[in-house]
Amino acid sequence: MIQKINTLEEYHEVYRKSVEQPENFWAEIAATFKWQKKWDRVLEWNFRDPDIKWFAGGRLNITENCLDRHLETKGDQVAILWEPNHPGGEAIQLTYNQLHTEVCRLSNALKSQGIAKGDRVCLYMPMVPELAIAVLACARIGAIHSVVFAGFSSRALADRINDADASMVLTADGAYRGPKTIDLKSIVDEALTDCPGVLNVWVLKRTGSAVDMVAGRDTWWHDALEGVPAIYAAETMDAEDNLFVLYTSGSTGKPKGVMHTTGGYMVYAEYSFRNVFQYNEGDIYWCTADIGWITGHTYIVYGPLLAGATTLMFEGIPTYPDAGRFWEVTDKHQVNLFYTAPTAIRALQAKSPDFVARHNLSSLKVLGSVGEPINEEAWEWYHEQIGKKKCPIVDTWWQTETGGIMISPLAGITPLKPGFATLPLPGIQPMLVDHDGNEMKGNGVEGNLCIRFPWPSMIRSTWGDHERCRKTYFETFDNAYFTGDGCRRDAEGYYRITGRVDDVINVSGHRFGTAEIENAINEHPQVVESAVVGYPHEIKGQGIYAYVICTGLPADQQEVRAGIRATVNAFIGPIAKPDKVQFVKGLPKTRSGKIMRRVLRKIAEGGSSELGDVSTLLDPEVVEEIKEGAV
Ligand code: WT7
């Protein structure tokens, strides 16, 4: 079993070892897992290509580590504790034995459908136990899962299915989201009119919504599982075989499929889970993310199950039936470790304190935050009102590409500082770099956050386009992985993430490239050109501000604005709809035709008096007009 770090001194000692002897350090941790064959080499790497291999030659299956190896000692312990959307609904408990059986059954069913090692299976599902089972079944047969968040539109789904060339989609008739029902199957049907590669669709019955089943393509989940055996010998995977692809946005228009492989991801998922949350045997752990995001992959499914924990999966939303739901569920299931996003904290903080006061919350030991910088007010509220000043808050910084938590306090060990992700985990070597690529050594500096040495769960490639991976992450700064984030290292050596330094905005913890939203806006028939920037938003962290040029100033601005929002909804999904749309006659461009986003950002922030140098603009008058029309 992985040994946890217990004291701050030990952290420093372990950290030193992890930097001085990274291979020994990770080999010792990797040795605690079940391998079908031990690795030949711990690490081979270069950041030029990039080419990164952890535990090369090792053979394993991650689900044997999530499931089989626990059966003897904790087969009857609850693995997944599922809380439904409707508060009156019955919670479901799946023990490790039961989860193992369900995963084996689905593995057999997928296999007999013809899904083989390396095939891509797209999961577009509600937050129900079957989603976790499907993730694990894919991993068990060696298929590459591509989970698409069920809030994405049919167009976004089709793009992801086609990019990964998935041959199968797992979905449900519908999903509950608070008081609403979303007809997932009809969204899939629409997407598939554009996806010739998809041969099979399995449909889980969840909401009972009416669905059209396409003959020869669609099968009910329960029919597919009928009579299948409950044992499946896990496929043998190479440590560097692909485990999953997960799409995320960057500064260019098209989302990219971040690739994670098997061995290294597994080792880092459990190591980081145990240490950051200081998980103890028997703890009830709840991460409120959706499995459609990396947080759900690593810290709802893989990390906790690898550690043999009880992981709570919640189908609903924080404000249904009211803003006390998180706290009601916490008491109901006596949650000990709770992990959520600043946007949820801010949304709940804005509601009446009664929603918190009527719950006890005494089971809580550790609170976590992820996805965006947590502002001080939200941190204090979380600490005082939810943690009653006795629970450490782990502000965990990481990314889809990093696979696991990179910079974070270890709960109860690292002294906290609100707004700071504090210190790197063992094995993580952050480096701040200035615009010219020079390393900024010492403390009290601010620059671009890079990582100078490989860690086991790092991105290996971007699906179908390795060059894109190289360009995005390994080209900007020599011999380093570039995160896209700005960061300050204070006098004490503590890290504070200052936000993205590229054209990526973070809306309620969700990442969007400005170009991606612009592309969607430009699909509106009356739009000629657009520019999107982020602006500070009380609840969402960043809101989406769109400057739009139309074919003539629209007669009914209200209507066109609604039309633009609907277009973005159709191309990406509701979470990407612009909060503000300003119609403009022109955009501030340099002589070389580049939009000066700095100026647009300032205006969107409401700071139009300090626009800085605009002398390189082609037409400085445009700026005056935009300032006057700011919304
Ligand atoms: C971006 C990654 C894996 C986490 C879920 C989002 C921002 C994430 C923090 C934090 C400040 C944070 C960064 C990062 N971010 N966590 N604790 N403090 N910023 O994953 O969608 O891949 O987004 O989220 O900007 O680059 P993601």
Side-chain angles (χ1 to χ4, degrees):
M1 191 167 96
I2 292 178
Q3 292 302 311
K4 286 203 306 271
I5 291 166
N6 291 304
T7 64
L8 190 60
E9 295 67 48
E10 198 187 336
Y11 161 76
H12 287 298
E13 204 176 293
V14 169
Y15 186 81
R16 191 169 340 103
K17 175 175 176 192
S18 78
V19 173
E20 284 167 6
Q21 303 169 40
E23 298 197 13
N24 289 345
F25 172 75
W26 287 114
E28 272 171 34
I29 295 164
T32 65
F33 291 84
K34 179 175 155 74
W35 296 83
Q36 295 170 4
K37 174 186 169 289
K38 203 187 160 184
W39 56 90
D40 301 320
R41 292 162 304 278
V42 176
L43 173 64
E44 287 169 81
W45 68 288
N46 76 68
F47 278 173
R48 279 184 323 274
D49 295 341
D51 183 12
I52 291 120
K53 293 193 181 78
W54 281 93
F55 312 112
R59 302 269 161 73
L60 75 157
N61 189 289
I62 193 169
T63 71
E64 287 190 332
N65 286 276
C66 290
L67 302 171
D68 306 57
R69 75 168 160 152
H70 302 314
L71 296 186
E72 208 172 297
T73 52
K74 49 173 70 166
D76 292 329
Q77 187 205 295
V78 177
I80 294 179
L81 176 53
W82 177 77
E83 172 70 20
N85 177 68
H86 299 297
E90 210 177 312
I92 290 178
Q93 303 192 338
L94 280 178
T95 64
Y96 273 93
N97 275 328
Q98 289 167 327
L99 182 59
H100 177 259
T101 300
E102 292 309 317
V103 170
C104 285
R105 292 178 67 223
L106 189 58
S107 300
N108 277 309
L110 288 170
K111 193 76 184 190
S112 51
Q113 183 66 258
I115 299 297
K117 184 170 165 179
D119 289 352
R120 276 78 55 216
V121 177
C122 175
L123 280 49
Y124 186 73
M125 293 188 57
M127 277 287 285
V128 290
E130 287 82 354
L131 171 53
I133 292 166
V135 162
L136 294 165
C138 286
R140 196 158 179 95
I141 69 173
I144 299 170
H145 54 77
S146 171
V147 186
V148 176
F149 173 59
F152 277 116
S153 69
S154 60
R155 186 64 66 114
L157 173 61
D159 289 346
R160 285 158 178 75
I161 289 172
N162 287 331
D163 187 85
D165 197 10
S167 57
M168 181 162 192
V169 177
L170 302 183
T171 189
D173 50 358
Y176 293 120
R177 239 189 114 62
K180 288 190 231 155
T181 302
I182 299 156
D183 292 332
L184 294 187
K185 175 61 164 60
S186 56
I187 299 173
V188 169
D189 288 340
E190 207 180 311
L192 294 192
T193 58
D194 263 347
C195 304
V198 173
L199 306 175
N200 297 104
V201 178
W202 287 359
V203 187
L204 181 78
K205 210 168 227 162
R206 172 64 190 129
T207 57
S209 315
V211 297
D212 293 326
M213 298 295 274
V214 175
R217 187 194 74 183
D218 301 351
T219 308
W220 285 106
W221 193 288
H222 52 264
D223 289 337
L225 279 167
E226 198 153 304
V228 298
I231 286 293
Y232 185 98
E235 210 65 41
T236 295
M237 306 293 284
D238 191 272
E240 281 298 335
D241 277 341
N242 289 321
L243 176 63
F244 65 85
V245 57
L246 183 58
Y247 283 83
T248 192
S249 303
S251 38
T252 50
K254 209 172 140 243
K256 45 186 174 289
V258 170
M259 298 304 308
H260 284 288
T261 59
T262 306
Y265 176 81
M266 171 182 77
V267 169
Y268 199 78
E270 185 184 339
Y271 183 75
S272 55
F273 172 75
R274 279 189 189 273
N275 277 290
V276 169
F277 297 101
Q278 289 289 302
Y279 169 75
N280 284 311
E281 211 53 39
D283 282 344
I284 307 291
Y285 163 84
W286 180 16
C287 166
T288 70
D290 191 288
I291 293 177
W293 312 109
I294 190 69
T295 307
H297 282 59
T298 310
Y299 298 111
I300 295 177
V301 181
Y302 287 114
L305 294 179
L306 286 163
T310 297
T311 179
L312 195 156
M313 218 180 135
F314 175 46
E315 183 183 29
I317 58 171
T319 49
Y320 180 76
D322 60 44
R325 187 67 190 279
F326 273 3
W327 322 128
E328 188 243 326
V329 173
T330 297
D331 278 358
K332 176 175 174 187
H333 295 296
Q334 290 293 291
V335 171
N336 306 116
L337 318 173
F338 178 77
Y339 191 27
T340 196
T343 187
I345 298 167
R346 287 189 298 261
L348 298 179
Q349 181 182 11
K351 301 279 159 77
S352 159
D354 295 348
F355 289 119
V356 180
R358 60 175 83 121
H359 303 286
N360 176 293
L361 302 182
S362 61
S363 59
L364 291 172
K365 295 194 296 191
V366 174
L367 301 176
S369 170
V370 61
E372 43 173 325
I374 179 165
N375 51 304
E376 220 156 303
E377 296 95 295
W379 197 100
E380 294 296 348
W381 184 83
Y382 199 25
H383 190 243
E384 282 164 27
Q385 303 304 314
I386 307 306
K388 317 293 182 199
K389 297 191 184 167
K390 66 176 176 53
C391 302
I393 296 178
V394 290
D395 176 359
T396 63
W397 173 83
W398 58 298
Q399 309 179 295
T400 304
E401 296 85 344
T402 69
I405 297 168
M406 301 286 279
I407 304 183
S408 167
L410 308 183
I413 292 173
T414 314
L416 306 175
K417 213 186 254 191
F420 283 76
T422 73
L423 299 172
L425 262 64
I428 305 306
Q429 302 189 34
M431 166 169 79
L432 301 185
V433 177
D434 71 13
H435 289 296
D436 304 320
N438 303 312
E439 182 179 354
M440 306 169 81
K441 296 200 169 125
N443 291 338
V445 290
E446 184 169 334
N448 299 296
L449 178 59
C450 295
I451 314 290
R452 73 164 99 237
F453 194 83
W455 63 100
S457 63
M458 73 183 295
I459 180 175
R460 299 299 197 270
S461 190
T462 43
W463 180 262
D465 191 352
H466 190 66
E467 176 62 6
R468 191 160 177 217
C469 172
R470 189 189 68 79
K471 277 204 174 123
T472 311
Y473 307 105
F474 297 94
E475 189 182 60
T476 319
F477 300 106
D478 190 37
N479 214 16
Y481 166 83
F482 176 44
T483 64
D485 281 316
C487 181
R488 183 153 75 82
R489 186 165 52 222
D490 76 358
E492 261 191 291
Y494 267 38
Y495 290 85
R496 181 192 182 103
I497 309 301
T498 54
R500 301 288 304 196
V501 295
D502 51 7
D503 291 323
V504 167
I505 51 185
N506 189 325
V507 184
S508 302
H510 305 312
R511 221 164 116 174
F512 296 102
T514 53
E516 184 186 4
I517 303 175
E518 288 160 7
N519 289 347
I521 293 174
N522 297 348
E523 293 287 337
H524 187 278
Q526 270 164 274
V527 173
V528 176
E529 197 184 356
S530 62
V532 163
V533 297
Y535 72 97
H537 187 288
E538 258 187 42
I539 305 288
K540 299 179 180 184
Q542 281 190 296
I544 301 173
Y545 195 118
Y547 298 90
V548 178
I549 305 174
C550 286
T551 49
L553 202 62
D556 187 344
Q557 294 206 0
Q558 204 70 9
E559 190 196 319
V560 180
R561 194 171 281 126
I564 287 172
R565 285 165 54 83
T567 307
V568 175
N569 188 42
F571 275 82
I572 307 176
I575 46 181
K577 284 194 284 194
D579 299 278
K580 294 184 177 183
V581 176
Q582 180 182 353
F583 296 102
V584 296
K585 291 208 205 86
L587 291 166
K589 288 190 181 168
T590 61
R591 270 165 242 279
S592 57
K594 250 193 105 178
I595 296 172
M596 231 193 220
R597 283 172 195 279
R598 170 175 66 78
V599 169
L600 295 178
R601 259 184 241 122
K602 265 278 176 268
I603 296 172
E605 280 166 16
S608 58
S609 52
E610 357 135 12
L611 291 181
D613 183 13
V614 292
S615 61
T616 56
L617 283 179
L618 197 57
D619 179 8
E621 258 157 51
V622 166
V623 175
E624 288 310 310
E625 182 226 295
I626 295 178
K627 264 162 65 172
E628 272 156 37
V631 289

